[in-house]
Amino acid sequence: MTEEAKPALNRKSRVVTQGDRRSPNRSMLRAVGFTDSDFEKPIIGVANGQSDVTPCNAGLGKLAEIAKSEIKDSGGMPQMFGTITVSDGISMGTEGMKCSLVSREVIADSIETVCRGANLDAVICVGGCDKNMPGALIAMARLDIPSIFVYGGTIKPGHLDGKDLTVVSSFEAVGQFSAGSISHDQLIDIENNACPGFGSCGGMYTANTMSSAIEAMGMSMPYSSTMSNEDKEKGLNTQKSAQALFPMLERNITPKDILTREAFENAISVVMAVGGSTNAVLHLLAISSYMNLGLTIDDFEAIRKKVPHFCDLKPSGQFVTVDLHHAGGIPQVMKMLLNKGLLHGDCMTVTGKTIAENLKDIPDQPGSDQKVILPVETPLSPEGHLVILKGNISPEGSVAKVSGIKSRRVEGPARVFNSEEDCLDAIITDKINEGDIIVIRYEGPKGGPGMREMLAPTSAIVGKGLGDKVGLITDGRFSGGTYGLVVGHVAPEAQVGGVIALIEKGDTIVIDISKRRLDVLLSDDELKQRKEKWKPLPPKYKRGVLAKYAKLVSSASIGAITDE
């Protein structure tokens, strides 16, 4: 719908549910501070992801308060409410990690429920950890009221012996210690120095990948996705974000105007350029499903072929996200893509301007005093790093992150594990050999349930010195901190009878990046016979949130959404 054809937002109709405007619900609003004149103002929700359970969210409360104060000063009535978080880094490698992807749906449901229940005119969401961001965007897409996202900011790097550290350094140190390459004291030194303060994981891991994607889609302010949580500019950015809601209200700019198919294509292009997390595939598919745009997993592969990877960022590269910010941030990356015809410049954003208008004054090239953003003409790779693989193991698709890997094709015997814990134990106790292809299954959306990230096994592999010597496939996910020859999101998953459930120890598996194939070298007849004998594992949870999730969740190939 064009802007001219859309009706102006009738704010007053949202203040009370129905009937006389002196109805009883005015009394309840007076109890929280409304006066006569406040009933004529837009009521704006402040979804606050503050939580002490993770450094990613521990610094959000101050930003939510800044947003609330700015809304009040700008003529609105802020109504703050809370939403949850689950720390991927803290829950990694434990049963608690099963709740991580589940939390995305809980976050989306909670924000949508409050905004609908309170008849809010607009919402500003303040989030930090991996699932706050896609969860908030899913809610915004469902609600379609003026909305803006504020990223809580990245953590600054830790430092030890002249090297930058991130949370992934700790996971890799476990593998190094078990391999005997570092001492126990060195392990503890890395643990003590990897995370120096508040903010989300510091490399181009899932949080910073999703913040970058949201900025690229136009749902957050320029430069906001790469700021440090602890820097003053993050508070100033929050103020500007709150101010931006008022022109959006006046013009009735809603997610339907911003979250177009072209906007998602922009996000995918930026994710490819910066070397972002595999989780971007899962989350962007989920968000787009609520806009009915027809985006599919195959669109990632089509865009990958056109967009080079030209930002040298961890986990496979050298630099952290604050380095990218100082080099020009996502606006600099987007300007370079736009100049090459790899970005849609006419997409609307929360600034009320188009992408091209926002980028008008951004230089064509970054400064020569930085090494993070390489020239598009001499990238790290001429194509994107997130490859969609299909084959008899993953006819619906799977995702490989190929940045920094040396081998484009591996073939080897399967080593099969029905849980992350069993696999990790085998790695730590030196039961994995060079050339093996590790299979971790029954960790998918339904089978886990919750599609855990496999950072502990993949980091242990790297720590053991096997990063380029073994392959790994799973129906689970990977952390944005994972790198190496690993393939995740294998669909159909084991719990629904996908071929990954039929693989046996010693079967030959082929991962072929160049041909975009993932296959087990078995005949169709052999697979059919195995399928006839196969039985699903019994549900791991009979009641509660994980049981409900397992019943509702869809395939990873369409975003693992719960209301297909």
Side-chain angles (χ1 to χ4, degrees), residues 184-203:
H184 185 264
D185 287 346
Q186 288 174 305
L187 172 65
I188 298 304
D189 282 344
I190 292 170
E191 175 190 314
N192 287 337
N193 288 277
C195 297
F198 289 167
S200 298
C201 298

Side-chain angles (χ1 to χ4, degrees), residues 286-456:
I287 299 163
S288 70
S289 70
Y290 296 98
M291 307 311 293
N292 299 314
L293 302 174
L295 193 75
T296 72
I297 196 170
D298 295 323
D299 291 312
F300 287 81
E301 181 62 27
I303 294 171
R304 181 193 72 82
K305 294 177 182 177
K306 298 185 291 185
V307 179
H309 171 203
F310 58 91
C311 294
D312 190 8
L313 294 162
K314 291 179 181 294
S316 59
Q318 301 182 63
F319 300 100
V320 293
T321 304
V322 291
D323 298 320
L324 174 61
H325 187 64
H326 296 148
I330 294 302
Q332 183 64 73
V333 174
M334 293 177 71
K335 183 63 174 284
M336 296 165 72
L337 290 169
L338 183 67
N339 288 344
K340 291 295 182 179
L342 298 172
L343 215 64
H344 303 285
D346 57 350
C347 292
M348 178 57 67
T349 73
V350 293
T351 66
K353 299 178 181 179
T354 65
I355 291 288
E357 289 171 335
N358 285 343
L359 300 176
K360 180 181 178 182
D361 297 326
I362 304 298
D364 291 334
Q365 298 294 332
S368 59
D369 58 343
Q370 61 82 44
K371 298 181 180 180
V372 185
I373 307 174
L374 305 180
V376 177
E377 296 77 14
T378 55
L380 292 167
S381 171
E383 295 182 338
H385 65 299
L386 297 182
V387 181
I388 306 303
L389 305 179
K390 294 191 175 181
N392 67 0
I393 296 178
S394 58
E396 292 180 10
S398 57
V399 185
K401 185 177 182 180
V402 300
S403 50
I405 68 166
K406 298 176 182 178
S407 302
R408 306 291 289 186
R409 185 186 186 280
V410 292
E411 178 177 326
R415 295 295 307 281
V416 182
F417 304 93
N418 285 351
S419 74
E420 176 188 9
E421 289 85 354
D422 288 348
C423 175
L424 182 60
D425 180 68
I427 297 168
I428 296 298
T429 55
D430 296 317
K431 295 177 182 177
I432 299 299
N433 302 312
E434 183 176 334
D436 285 346
I437 307 293
I438 297 169
V439 179
I440 307 178
R441 63 191 181 190
Y442 294 101
E443 291 284 5
K446 287 183 177 295
M451 205 180 179
R452 285 193 289 183
E453 292 179 348
M454 302 292 119
L455 181 59

